[in-house]
Amino acid sequence: IAFATRDMTRSLATARQRGYDIVATIDGASGRYAYFQDPELPDTYYEFLELAPATEAYWEQCIAQSRAQDGPATITAVDMSTLQP
């Protein structure tokens, strides 16, 4: 299960305060990510994805394209390495 956030630092602090275990954080060229778990549900991982302007614009483009799609279509491969935080 993934959640978008505009403030990774605040979201991680909130998750810790609520008792979630932070498993990993990634600060990469394409953005910041974090993975965490509820100790009572150890088989379930959650993800935070920090929204950078480029990532948010990309998602908005995908949403607009999906609204225009009528029926099945071929899968579109996207190179996300060009997105910058």
Side-chain angles (χ1 to χ4, degrees):
I1 300 173
F3 301 92
T5 179
R6 288 190 174 92
D7 187 340
M8 180 67 76
T9 303
R10 184 175 66 192
S11 293
L12 286 172
T14 299
R16 286 184 181 103
Q17 289 170 353
R18 293 183 179 173
Y20 290 94
D21 295 326
I22 307 304
V23 177
T25 58
I26 301 167
D27 294 327
S30 64
R32 294 179 70 194
Y33 306 86
Y35 299 91
F36 57 104
Q37 291 177 295
D38 180 336
E40 295 189 25
L41 299 169
D43 293 333
T44 303
Y45 288 85
Y46 303 94
E47 175 186 38
F48 283 136
L49 164 63
E50 187 171 64
L51 284 181
T55 307
E56 192 164 8
Y58 169 72
W59 283 8
E60 289 173 5
Q61 176 186 349
C62 291
I63 291 167
Q65 288 173 341
S66 71
R67 287 189 180 126
Q69 184 177 349
D70 184 22
T74 57
I75 296 173
T76 302
V78 177
D79 179 3
M80 294 184 69
S81 66
T82 61
L83 296 177
Q84 296 297 315

